[in-house]
PDB file of all heavy atoms in Angstrom:
ATOM      1  N   ILE A 160    -141.382  54.533-113.027  1.00  0.00           N
ATOM      2  CA  ILE A 160    -141.569  53.150-113.160  1.00  0.00           C
ATOM      3  C   ILE A 160    -142.710  52.848-114.249  1.00  0.00           C
ATOM      4  O   ILE A 160    -143.822  53.570-114.117  1.00  0.00           O
ATOM      5  CB  ILE A 160    -141.896  52.481-111.894  1.00  0.00           C
ATOM      6  CG1 ILE A 160    -140.877  52.661-110.910  1.00  0.00           C
ATOM      7  CG2 ILE A 160    -142.320  50.916-112.116  1.00  0.00           C
ATOM      8  CD1 ILE A 160    -141.101  52.077-109.500  1.00  0.00           C
ATOM      9  N   VAL A 162    -144.796  49.505-116.208  1.00  0.00           N
ATOM     10  CA  VAL A 162    -145.066  48.047-115.995  1.00  0.00           C
ATOM     11  C   VAL A 162    -145.789  47.500-117.196  1.00  0.00           C
ATOM     12  O   VAL A 162    -146.691  48.095-117.673  1.00  0.00           O
ATOM     13  CB  VAL A 162    -145.841  47.639-114.790  1.00  0.00           C
ATOM     14  CG1 VAL A 162    -145.978  46.179-114.591  1.00  0.00           C
ATOM     15  CG2 VAL A 162    -145.056  48.289-113.471  1.00  0.00           C
ATOM     16  N   PHE A 206    -144.613  40.605-107.097  1.00  0.00           N
ATOM     17  CA  PHE A 206    -144.002  41.739-107.938  1.00  0.00           C
ATOM     18  C   PHE A 206    -143.631  42.938-107.067  1.00  0.00           C
ATOM     19  O   PHE A 206    -142.491  43.526-107.247  1.00  0.00           O
ATOM     20  CB  PHE A 206    -144.918  42.025-109.088  1.00  0.00           C
ATOM     21  CG  PHE A 206    -144.473  43.238-109.795  1.00  0.00           C
ATOM     22  CD1 PHE A 206    -143.498  43.352-110.652  1.00  0.00           C
ATOM     23  CD2 PHE A 206    -145.282  44.426-109.564  1.00  0.00           C
ATOM     24  CE1 PHE A 206    -143.187  44.398-111.330  1.00  0.00           C
ATOM     25  CE2 PHE A 206    -144.941  45.610-110.190  1.00  0.00           C
ATOM     26  CZ  PHE A 206    -143.837  45.614-111.026  1.00  0.00           C
ATOM     27  N   GLU A 207    -144.568  43.324-106.152  1.00  0.00           N
ATOM     28  CA  GLU A 207    -144.343  44.599-105.458  1.00  0.00           C
ATOM     29  C   GLU A 207    -143.229  44.411-104.517  1.00  0.00           C
ATOM     30  O   GLU A 207    -142.351  45.317-104.414  1.00  0.00           O
ATOM     31  CB  GLU A 207    -145.601  44.946-104.759  1.00  0.00           C
ATOM     32  CG  GLU A 207    -146.757  45.446-105.521  1.00  0.00           C
ATOM     33  CD  GLU A 207    -147.954  45.825-104.734  1.00  0.00           C
ATOM     34  OE1 GLU A 207    -147.948  45.492-103.483  1.00  0.00           O
ATOM     35  OE2 GLU A 207    -148.853  46.567-105.238  1.00  0.00           O
ATOM     36  N   ILE A 210    -139.879  44.644-106.498  1.00  0.00           N
ATOM     37  CA  ILE A 210    -139.420  45.942-106.934  1.00  0.00           C
ATOM     38  C   ILE A 210    -139.153  46.865-105.837  1.00  0.00           C
ATOM     39  O   ILE A 210    -138.123  47.695-105.893  1.00  0.00           O
ATOM     40  CB  ILE A 210    -140.514  46.627-107.888  1.00  0.00           C
ATOM     41  CG1 ILE A 210    -139.905  47.738-108.708  1.00  0.00           C
ATOM     42  CG2 ILE A 210    -141.779  46.985-107.173  1.00  0.00           C
ATOM     43  CD1 ILE A 210    -140.834  48.241-109.782  1.00  0.00           C
ATOM     44  N   LEU A 211    -139.714  46.626-104.737  1.00  0.00           N
ATOM     45  CA  LEU A 211    -139.505  47.521-103.509  1.00  0.00           C
ATOM     46  C   LEU A 211    -138.031  47.282-103.006  1.00  0.00           C
ATOM     47  O   LEU A 211    -137.366  48.039-102.481  1.00  0.00           O
ATOM     48  CB  LEU A 211    -140.536  47.352-102.481  1.00  0.00           C
ATOM     49  CG  LEU A 211    -141.931  48.071-102.825  1.00  0.00           C
ATOM     50  CD1 LEU A 211    -142.972  47.711-101.934  1.00  0.00           C
ATOM     51  CD2 LEU A 211    -141.799  49.539-102.875  1.00  0.00           C
ATOM     52  N   LEU A 230    -145.346  56.751-111.375  1.00  0.00           N
ATOM     53  CA  LEU A 230    -145.862  55.429-111.777  1.00  0.00           C
ATOM     54  C   LEU A 230    -146.795  55.522-113.015  1.00  0.00           C
ATOM     55  O   LEU A 230    -147.761  56.223-112.968  1.00  0.00           O
ATOM     56  CB  LEU A 230    -146.732  54.848-110.472  1.00  0.00           C
ATOM     57  CG  LEU A 230    -145.964  54.621-109.328  1.00  0.00           C
ATOM     58  CD1 LEU A 230    -146.950  54.295-108.080  1.00  0.00           C
ATOM     59  CD2 LEU A 230    -144.822  53.556-109.427  1.00  0.00           C
ATOM     60  N   LEU A 232    -148.687  52.744-115.035  1.00  0.00           N
ATOM     61  CA  LEU A 232    -148.887  51.293-115.035  1.00  0.00           C
ATOM     62  C   LEU A 232    -149.801  50.885-116.326  1.00  0.00           C
ATOM     63  O   LEU A 232    -150.709  51.524-116.560  1.00  0.00           O
ATOM     64  CB  LEU A 232    -149.701  50.826-113.747  1.00  0.00           C
ATOM     65  CG  LEU A 232    -148.922  51.209-112.453  1.00  0.00           C
ATOM     66  CD1 LEU A 232    -149.660  50.767-111.211  1.00  0.00           C
ATOM     67  CD2 LEU A 232    -147.477  50.591-112.426  1.00  0.00           C
ATOM     68  N   PHE A 258    -153.580  47.035-107.817  1.00  0.00           N
ATOM     69  CA  PHE A 258    -153.019  48.362-107.800  1.00  0.00           C
ATOM     70  C   PHE A 258    -154.228  49.280-107.753  1.00  0.00           C
ATOM     71  O   PHE A 258    -154.122  50.409-108.391  1.00  0.00           O
ATOM     72  CB  PHE A 258    -152.105  48.777-108.981  1.00  0.00           C
ATOM     73  CG  PHE A 258    -150.894  47.743-109.189  1.00  0.00           C
ATOM     74  CD1 PHE A 258    -150.740  47.259-110.293  1.00  0.00           C
ATOM     75  CD2 PHE A 258    -150.113  47.509-108.125  1.00  0.00           C
ATOM     76  CE1 PHE A 258    -149.739  46.378-110.568  1.00  0.00           C
ATOM     77  CE2 PHE A 258    -149.037  46.619-108.256  1.00  0.00           C
ATOM     78  CZ  PHE A 258    -148.852  46.027-109.491  1.00  0.00           C
ATOM     79  N   SER A 259    -155.299  48.977-107.119  1.00  0.00           N
ATOM     80  CA  SER A 259    -156.490  49.895-107.212  1.00  0.00           C
ATOM     81  C   SER A 259    -156.904  50.382-105.894  1.00  0.00           C
ATOM     82  O   SER A 259    -156.418  49.761-104.898  1.00  0.00           O
ATOM     83  CB  SER A 259    -157.679  49.104-107.912  1.00  0.00           C
ATOM     84  OG  SER A 259    -157.946  47.972-106.995  1.00  0.00           O
ATOM     85  N   PRO A 266    -152.415  46.207-101.089  1.00  0.00           N
ATOM     86  CA  PRO A 266    -152.518  47.591-101.274  1.00  0.00           C
ATOM     87  C   PRO A 266    -151.788  47.970-102.607  1.00  0.00           C
ATOM     88  O   PRO A 266    -151.158  47.278-103.238  1.00  0.00           O
ATOM     89  CB  PRO A 266    -151.575  48.049-100.155  1.00  0.00           C
ATOM     90  CG  PRO A 266    -150.616  46.892 -99.880  1.00  0.00           C
ATOM     91  CD  PRO A 266    -151.480  45.712-100.073  1.00  0.00           C
ATOM     92  N   SER A 267    -152.198  49.202-103.051  1.00  0.00           N
ATOM     93  CA  SER A 267    -151.720  49.700-104.320  1.00  0.00           C
ATOM     94  C   SER A 267    -150.219  49.840-104.196  1.00  0.00           C
ATOM     95  O   SER A 267    -149.559  50.250-103.163  1.00  0.00           O
ATOM     96  CB  SER A 267    -152.405  50.977-104.730  1.00  0.00           C
ATOM     97  OG  SER A 267    -152.076  52.031-103.829  1.00  0.00           O
ATOM     98  N   LEU A 268    -149.466  49.764-105.345  1.00  0.00           N
ATOM     99  CA  LEU A 268    -148.057  49.944-105.374  1.00  0.00           C
ATOM    100  C   LEU A 268    -147.786  51.377-104.957  1.00  0.00           C
ATOM    101  O   LEU A 268    -146.704  51.594-104.157  1.00  0.00           O
ATOM    102  CB  LEU A 268    -147.548  49.696-106.751  1.00  0.00           C
ATOM    103  CG  LEU A 268    -146.043  49.937-107.019  1.00  0.00           C
ATOM    104  CD1 LEU A 268    -145.201  48.986-105.977  1.00  0.00           C
ATOM    105  CD2 LEU A 268    -145.572  49.702-108.446  1.00  0.00           C
ATOM    106  N   SER A 269    -148.603  52.427-105.252  1.00  0.00           N
ATOM    107  CA  SER A 269    -148.293  53.798-104.946  1.00  0.00           C
ATOM    108  C   SER A 269    -148.273  54.000-103.395  1.00  0.00           C
ATOM    109  O   SER A 269    -147.466  54.725-102.844  1.00  0.00           O
ATOM    110  CB  SER A 269    -149.346  54.511-105.595  1.00  0.00           C
ATOM    111  OG  SER A 269    -150.640  54.368-105.111  1.00  0.00           O
ATOM    112  N   SER A 270    -149.210  53.168-102.745  1.00  0.00           N
ATOM    113  CA  SER A 270    -149.318  53.418-101.194  1.00  0.00           C
ATOM    114  C   SER A 270    -148.110  52.701-100.565  1.00  0.00           C
ATOM    115  O   SER A 270    -147.588  53.208 -99.543  1.00  0.00           O
ATOM    116  CB  SER A 270    -150.659  52.762-100.689  1.00  0.00           C
ATOM    117  OG  SER A 270    -150.680  51.352-100.916  1.00  0.00           O
ATOM    118  N   ARG A 271    -147.575  51.605-101.182  1.00  0.00           N
ATOM    119  CA  ARG A 271    -146.512  50.989-100.632  1.00  0.00           C
ATOM    120  C   ARG A 271    -145.155  51.771-100.878  1.00  0.00           C
ATOM    121  O   ARG A 271    -144.254  51.773 -99.974  1.00  0.00           O
ATOM    122  CB  ARG A 271    -146.244  49.510-101.132  1.00  0.00           C
ATOM    123  CG  ARG A 271    -147.415  48.635-100.774  1.00  0.00           C
ATOM    124  CD  ARG A 271    -147.142  47.235-101.177  1.00  0.00           C
ATOM    125  NE  ARG A 271    -145.908  46.643-100.344  1.00  0.00           N
ATOM    126  CZ  ARG A 271    -145.486  45.469-100.325  1.00  0.00           C
ATOM    127  NH1 ARG A 271    -146.117  44.474-101.365  1.00  0.00           N
ATOM    128  NH2 ARG A 271    -144.514  45.052 -99.732  1.00  0.00           N
ATOM    129  N   VAL A 272    -145.067  52.461-101.966  1.00  0.00           N
ATOM    130  CA  VAL A 272    -143.929  53.359-102.137  1.00  0.00           C
ATOM    131  C   VAL A 272    -143.940  54.415-101.147  1.00  0.00           C
ATOM    132  O   VAL A 272    -142.928  54.823-100.574  1.00  0.00           O
ATOM    133  CB  VAL A 272    -144.060  53.964-103.547  1.00  0.00           C
ATOM    134  CG1 VAL A 272    -143.224  55.253-103.727  1.00  0.00           C
ATOM    135  CG2 VAL A 272    -143.835  52.946-104.688  1.00  0.00           C
ATOM    136  N   TRP A 273    -145.107  55.096-100.722  1.00  0.00           N
ATOM    137  CA  TRP A 273    -145.127  56.063 -99.762  1.00  0.00           C
ATOM    138  C   TRP A 273    -144.776  55.511 -98.290  1.00  0.00           C
ATOM    139  O   TRP A 273    -144.120  55.985 -97.531  1.00  0.00           O
ATOM    140  CB  TRP A 273    -146.444  56.645 -99.711  1.00  0.00           C
ATOM    141  CG  TRP A 273    -146.799  57.601 -98.561  1.00  0.00           C
ATOM    142  CD1 TRP A 273    -147.708  57.481 -97.523  1.00  0.00           C
ATOM    143  CD2 TRP A 273    -146.187  58.877 -98.345  1.00  0.00           C
ATOM    144  NE1 TRP A 273    -147.712  58.479 -96.683  1.00  0.00           N
ATOM    145  CE2 TRP A 273    -146.779  59.385 -97.106  1.00  0.00           C
ATOM    146  CE3 TRP A 273    -145.245  59.573 -98.919  1.00  0.00           C
ATOM    147  CZ2 TRP A 273    -146.474  60.627 -96.551  1.00  0.00           C
ATOM    148  CZ3 TRP A 273    -144.838  60.767 -98.331  1.00  0.00           C
ATOM    149  CH2 TRP A 273    -145.437  61.318 -97.252  1.00  0.00           C
ATOM    150  N   PRO A 280    -145.520  59.096-104.275  1.00  0.00           N
ATOM    151  CA  PRO A 280    -145.992  58.427-105.564  1.00  0.00           C
ATOM    152  C   PRO A 280    -146.925  59.344-106.384  1.00  0.00           C
ATOM    153  O   PRO A 280    -147.959  59.649-106.038  1.00  0.00           O
ATOM    154  CB  PRO A 280    -146.731  57.304-104.862  1.00  0.00           C
ATOM    155  CG  PRO A 280    -147.275  57.769-103.632  1.00  0.00           C
ATOM    156  CD  PRO A 280    -146.389  58.800-103.081  1.00  0.00           C
ATOM    157  N   ASP A 336    -154.433  54.080 -99.778  1.00  0.00           N
ATOM    158  CA  ASP A 336    -155.754  53.609-100.305  1.00  0.00           C
ATOM    159  C   ASP A 336    -156.847  53.716 -99.246  1.00  0.00           C
ATOM    160  O   ASP A 336    -156.497  53.900 -97.960  1.00  0.00           O
ATOM    161  CB  ASP A 336    -155.535  51.975-100.656  1.00  0.00           C
ATOM    162  CG  ASP A 336    -154.569  51.752-101.675  1.00  0.00           C
ATOM    163  OD1 ASP A 336    -154.209  52.573-102.470  1.00  0.00           O
ATOM    164  OD2 ASP A 336    -153.997  50.530-101.526  1.00  0.00           O
TER     165      ASP A 336
END
Side-chain angles (χ1 to χ4, degrees):
I160 299 176
V162 179
F206 166 74
E207 289 182 346
I210 194 171
L211 289 170
L230 300 171
L232 304 180
F258 307 126
S259 63
S267 67
L268 179 59
S269 62
S270 65
R271 293 191 65 177
V272 163
W273 171 247
D336 302 333

